[in-house]
Amino acid sequence: MALDSSKTTGFKYVGTRPNRPDGLDKVTGRAKFGADATAPGMLFAAIKRSPHAHAKIVKIDASKALAMEGVKAVVTRADFAEGLTGEDWNILENVMAGDTALYDGHAVAAVAATSALIAKDAIKAIEVEYQILPHVTDVDKAIEPDAPVIRAGAADASVPEGLHPNVVRYYESGHGDVEAGFAEADLVIEEHFTTEATHQGYIEPHACLGTLGGDGKGELWCCTQGHWNVQKVCAALLGLETSQLRVTASEIGGGFGGKTTVFIEPVALALSRKANRPVKLVMTRSEVFRASGPTSSTSMNVKIGMKKDGTITAAQGIFRLQGGAFPGAPCDMTAMCAFAPYNLKNVHQVGYDVITNRPKQAAYRAPGSPMAAFAVESVMDELCNQLGLDPIEVRLKNASHEGTTANFGITWPRIGLVETLEAAKAHPHYAAPLKPGQGRGISCGFWFNHGGETSVSLAMSEDGSAQIMVGTPDIGGSRASMALMAAEVLGIPYENIRCTIADTSSLGYNEISHGSRVTYASGLATIKAAEAAVEELCRRAAAKWDIPAEAVYWEDGYAKPSGPNAGDHEPLHITELTADMGATGGPINGHFEATPEGAGVSFATHIVDAEVDPETGATKVVRYTVVQDAGKAIHPTYVEGQFQGGAAQGIGWALNEEYIYGEDGRLQNAGFLDYRIPVASDLPFIDTVIVEVPNPGHPFGVRGVGETSICPPLAAIANAVSNAVGVRMRQLPMRPARVLEALESKNG
Amino acid sequence: MSKTHVTTKVNGDEVEFLCDPRETLLDVLRDRLGLTGAKEGCGTGDCGACSVTVDGRLVCSCLMLGVEAEGKEIGTVEGIAQGETLHPLQKKFIEYAALQCGICTPGILIAAKSLLEKNPAPTETEVRYWLAGNLCRCTGYDKIIRAVMDTAAEMREAS
């Protein structure tokens, strides 16, 4: 019996657009998100945070808070595990400050009380004595010789000698001889670019409900992209056995990478252990901005040499990433993604991870890649402009494709960059005329995508319906994709499958929903789990017919004898095999666990038209087209949604969004009024083209789609604005004042 | 601090509660009445996730105090469907995939319903400006706007 569902065409369910299984819950208000849970006897918590960018904590006096009516517990760093090392120690330091507050908003103590109002009053009553230290929040200033050292000894072995101690990681790669390459060029352009820190901006603040007893057993409900990771980290920070803490992922109100780590969950558990009652802890929006992970800010130099015919002769980039007070800024990713779209003989890239007195950066949708694309694709645009070349033709001429060597050393497998460029060239948008005051921008973008540890379990019910347990929280409709893939293998209707996000006690380990891995890895595991169930279903049919299992095959929900030699048997429908499964060998289940490593990389090409108001400097994106390789779109509507969402976040990053720090090192715009994300009236409809170049590493050809969509927008929009105003825009965001300044510089 | 007794109507049902004068209407709905459909995304009236109607008027429930609900009629996302019949907006939001994570959906549904009651034939621009107070970080608004426009067209045909 051949049991391999691999195929890239001829699907019955995959590629259709059914309603999502959790749709009703989400339009009626009954879906339970992080802050929607309650427990009997529940307390409410609040966190005391440092108002200083950098300060020694001399003394914390909680006596007045503890004396207040309704206050049940106060915790500080003393209530967490000691002797941690590596990333566990870094996370603990971030979750609750040790002897030093490292940024404005750093947690220093927390309170649990009988109401949220009492908890808020109580944190004001906690007295903290600080000794203020010099601070730095800017990436370039943080590596100047006289910059204050944020934490001595934080650098790892990758950092060459002689660099400032705030450089904590270093990355370098490339091949060929860039100097020789630049000498061959007809035109060499080198520019400096900066981008500001932006926040993922999920609408749901971090929220959790934790219960932990003196017996070391706990329950935790929280909004997270990865509850097994929460389980592991919380257990370490509280000194528990991992398996004794059961973590349930709530519905999640957006993450975009920002909910891949922990911030408040260990605090709620520590308070619960101390008060011996369930504790609910919800961040305010201001806390989300000040103390959860924004993305890195950057300072970048990019130099590219080109011949008159558009051939790139050499490319070089230096990428400095500011990652807050802890190591981890994705300088390696930035450097690797930078020139990934191009087939280069001579290339060299360097990345610096720089710590400052800001919150620890967290992943944000293709971490590090959008900034790299901004710098590289801006220089590409300028080269095309100065040499009078078509930007898509030049990209096609230099495009990476199967068999070429990537800038970071790998040999590309089958990739779809050329297909996205061809589709963009053929799109009516590319040929549409522009109005006065408008400019058009093109950019490519690249993201790796990821596999990761994955477990899926599938169980047949007696009536022939199926339930799937997956461990990757559903952030944007993934339950629908899982059900479609299982339906395809089992040959039963999509509606007959229920997909549940299992808690940590109900399924084996699952890595976080990150790296655009869910439809790829949980999808692959779902297909394999369904195949295992089908194999057992065939075995049961074989036993009924008294023929070998190898003589049975599965088609469209039926077990069938594989040929005349297998005998003349009426096909058995799945319901005929599940109805008596208890008597024919027991429950029929399928499961799959592995670390799949065939996640196909993904490329995109975006086309943007922007219109600049010369009076105000305000930019309006008037037309936007996303072209991206999805490998195979399981549910095309949700693939389009990922394309559109990434483009919209990119528009915000390019035009409006930025963390603004004062001289005092305090964040000045910790709210949605002053940190303005795009609203409905800021945006046009966002057109999408799904390119499908199947990924050989997935049975149905899936490539992750969630992240690549945010890689091109910064550059595409900057190119559109630069072409509209006639001045190269090298700093993001392109806020109106900055654009006016550019216009004035041009007009002299 | 002593609590205040409030009598109000929520989704047509009479309810009573005691609340601290500092509690917002959103706090009361979520923590005292168990109606967690309205969400707190910002607490400052900038995101619209807590949108409800008060005597038919669209408001951010995080900007109104619980005690101000005395004698009013409050409408929340839990009251949009009639029994098992979904409101046309709810159906279209599912059909168009006008939600990804779904946290902004209750507020957007309340706001869109309020728009269609005032203006059964809004232009795209009118829909975009009306919903400009409701942040969505997942969708880029594309499918939301399309779902609202199509609902409006369908409701016009039906009436």
Side-chain angles (χ1 to χ4, degrees), chain A residues 155-442:
Chain A
D156 74 13
S158 66
V159 182
E161 271 186 43
L163 294 180
H164 192 283
N166 290 341
V167 178
V168 293
R169 287 192 312 137
Y170 176 86
Y171 171 86
E172 184 175 3
S173 66
H175 56 249
D177 180 343
V178 288
E179 289 315 319
F182 288 128
E184 282 176 40
D186 293 314
L187 179 62
V188 176
I189 292 181
E190 181 175 11
E191 299 272 17
H192 178 244
F193 299 88
T194 60
T195 65
E196 295 303 329
T198 55
H199 197 274
Q200 295 81 352
Y202 32 81
I203 308 301
E204 181 197 32
H206 297 266
C208 67
L209 171 58
T211 309
L212 180 60
D215 58 357
K217 293 183 171 61
E219 299 278 340
L220 179 66
W221 161 275
C222 60
C223 58
T224 175
Q225 290 177 244
H227 38 310
W228 276 268
N229 180 60
V230 172
Q231 179 194 38
K232 194 164 61 177
V233 172
C234 288
L237 268 53
L238 291 150
L240 310 174
E241 274 184 4
T242 304
S243 300
Q244 299 301 335
L245 178 64
R246 180 168 78 121
V247 184
T248 306
S250 70
E251 293 302 324
I252 175 170
F256 315 106
K259 290 177 183 166
T260 57
T261 182
V262 307
F263 298 106
I264 56 172
E265 295 83 354
V267 179
L269 288 168
L271 285 165
S272 175
R273 178 162 63 186
K274 217 162 181 180
N276 211 10
R277 285 169 68 168
V279 172
K280 182 170 180 170
L281 181 45
V282 182
M283 273 193 182
T284 63
R285 177 56 53 182
S286 150
E287 286 180 294
V288 171
F289 277 113
R290 288 169 72 206
S292 71
T295 191
S296 295
S297 59
T298 66
S299 163
M300 307 175 285
N301 291 76
V302 166
K303 182 177 179 184
I304 301 177
M306 193 176 273
K307 290 195 169 176
K308 281 179 186 156
D309 69 354
T311 307
I312 302 172
T313 58
Q316 190 166 35
I318 300 167
F319 305 93
R320 303 165 203 88
L321 272 71
Q322 175 282 127
F326 300 88
C331 63
D332 44 354
M333 303 289 186
T334 305
M336 284 191 268
C337 292
F339 301 109
Y342 303 113
N343 176 21
L344 302 170
K345 257 181 18 197
N346 307 297
V347 61
H348 179 233
Q349 54 254 329
V350 175
Y352 295 87
D353 174 356
V354 180
I355 59 174
T356 66
N357 294 112
R358 293 201 194 193
K360 178 177 162 67
Q361 67 78 40
Y364 179 17
R365 208 168 193 159
S369 181
M371 307 83 128
F374 165 55
V376 169
E377 296 289 277
S378 292
V379 173
M380 287 293 288
D381 196 62
E382 193 57 37
L383 284 161
C384 292
N385 285 355
Q386 292 193 23
L387 292 171
L389 299 168
D390 177 85
I392 291 189
E393 292 299 344
V394 166
R395 284 170 172 84
L396 277 167
K397 193 178 189 72
N398 295 284
S400 294
H401 53 85
E402 185 174 2
T404 62
T405 303
N407 58 314
F408 54 94
I410 66 159
T411 301
W412 290 115
R414 183 75 176 95
I415 54 175
L417 172 61
V418 168
E419 286 80 354
T420 69
L421 283 162
E422 293 287 1
K425 194 169 83 173
H427 195 282
H429 184 172
Y430 195 54
L434 289 166
K435 290 183 188 150
Q438 296 183 346
R440 178 163 296 151
I442 298 293

Side-chain angles (χ1 to χ4, degrees), chain A residues 77 107 114 136 303 414 430 497 499 534 546 668 674 720 740:
Chain A
R77 180 61 174 270
T114 50
V136 63
K303 182 177 179 184
R414 183 75 176 95
Y430 195 54
I497 294 164
C499 179
V534 163
D546 198 20
Q668 296 189 326
D674 298 315
L740 272 186

Side-chain angles (χ1 to χ4, degrees), chain A residues 36-67:
Chain A
D36 298 340
T38 53
M42 182 175 89
L43 301 174
F44 296 81
I47 293 179
K48 176 88 175 174
R49 298 185 180 277
S50 166
H52 305 298
H54 198 191
K56 199 109 198 136
I57 299 169
V58 180
K59 193 175 139 200
I60 301 175
D61 180 358
S63 55
K64 285 180 188 154
L66 282 164

Side-chain angles (χ1 to χ4, degrees), chain B residues 1-59:
Chain B
M1 198 175 284
S2 67
K3 294 193 168 58
T4 305
H5 178 267
V6 177
T7 306
T8 185
K9 263 193 178 175
V10 179
N11 300 326
D13 296 329
E14 193 159 292
V15 296
E16 293 175 76
F17 54 84
L18 290 173
C19 76
D20 186 293
R22 293 177 294 169
E23 281 176 52
T24 65
L25 175 59
L26 178 62
D27 294 334
V28 167
L29 287 170
R30 292 178 54 82
D31 297 336
R32 300 207 178 270
L33 303 178
L35 293 169
T36 54
K39 308 298 179 191
E40 179 161 324
C42 66
T44 51
D46 297 310
C47 80
C50 65
S51 297
V52 299
T53 55
V54 177
D55 288 346
R57 187 176 170 193
L58 181 64
V59 301

